[in-house]
Amino acid sequence: MNIELPLSISIALTDLSRLMLEQGETQADTLICARVCFYRASMTLEQVADEDLQDVINEYLPEKTS
């Protein structure tokens, strides 16, 4: 997948995930107003199985170039 996000967004998503899980939620949908426009925002948390964790981590690591 290799999605490059600024650290500040990763931290915000981690905080949001923690709050959602504390409320027993794994999905959130909302309407957001930003920069004078409205956006639909949706977040779904999917637990990663232990046996799949390394593969999922590898998907998010930057490609190594030689």
Side-chain angles (χ1 to χ4, degrees), residues 9 15 19 22 31 36 44 58 60:
I9 293 176
D15 290 342
L19 291 169
E22 286 174 358
L31 185 64
V36 195
T44 302
N58 289 341
Y60 287 92

Side-chain angles (χ1 to χ4, degrees), residues 48-55:
V48 176
D50 291 342
E51 61 270 12
D52 298 331
L53 185 56
Q54 189 59 56
D55 290 336

